[in-house]
Amino acid sequence: MRLKLPAPMQAAFLEAEAAAARGEVPVGAAVVDGSGAIIARAGNRTLERKDPTAHAEMLAIRKAAELLGSERLTGCDLYVTLEPCAMCAGAISFARIRRLYFGAGDEKMGAVEHGGRFFSQPTCHHAPDVYSGIGEVQAKDMLRAFFRARR
């Protein structure tokens, strides 16, 4: 039995599903403001945009910053289906995201609980509170199915 996911993580999964339908790696993200409202959401678009920085987290952070008119997303939380890479962890830190919730860990490219552990580095100026494993089974299943279909 799967537990009911918080609405922002459900939104992130919908974005991941849409990314997969476009042929992108199924990763989705949602930014939530201090009131709990989803203010931005996105899925991977690296292939579509021919842009290696068009990760779900980056796109959602950009949308939220534009909506709020600030490069600082203090008081905002980020929900993402996969552990952020080093680039996305850097953006999360620079945006001053309050809390990071993610689904599956990423042993190869993750930089929060794997790899370089970006937020644990002494050079990291801001580290969000991190909560992992939110929808982990669903996220892993989605990724496995996506890559299995391509092999």
Side-chain angles (χ1 to χ4, degrees):
M1 180 178 106
R2 289 190 176 154
L3 298 174
K4 184 168 170 44
L5 296 173
M9 189 58 93
Q10 290 177 24
F13 273 105
L14 289 173
E15 292 293 333
E17 290 168 4
R22 294 188 300 272
E24 302 276 359
V25 174
V27 178
V31 177
V32 177
D33 70 11
S35 74
I38 297 170
I39 60 170
R41 48 194 280 179
N44 276 356
R45 291 185 179 273
T46 59
L47 299 174
E48 176 187 305
R49 295 187 178 183
K50 311 284 187 275
D51 178 358
T53 70
H55 290 195
E57 303 96 316
M58 300 293 285
L59 297 173
I61 288 169
R62 288 176 187 148
K63 286 180 187 177
E66 184 176 348
L67 177 77
L68 296 177
S70 175
E71 75 282 8
R72 300 282 188 247
L73 301 180
T74 307
C76 291
D77 301 335
L78 177 67
Y79 290 75
V80 62
T81 58
L82 184 65
E83 178 181 357
C85 69
M87 173 184 68
C88 293
I92 290 164
S93 179
F94 290 135
R96 305 296 194 263
I97 296 287
R98 176 178 58 178
R99 294 183 195 109
L100 167 64
Y101 299 88
F102 70 87
D106 185 349
E107 293 178 13
K108 290 183 181 178
M109 295 298 295
V112 177
E113 292 183 347
H114 296 90
R117 299 178 188 247
F118 188 91
F119 302 129
S120 299
Q121 299 304 314
T123 54
C124 178
H125 294 290
H126 170 78
D129 294 331
V130 176
Y131 303 90
S132 61
I134 314 298
E136 179 177 23
V137 172
Q138 184 177 343
K140 283 182 177 181
D141 289 349
M142 185 182 295
L143 287 159
R144 281 189 195 113
F146 177 81
F147 288 111
R148 189 177 314 120
R150 277 151 180 72
R151 292 187 179 125

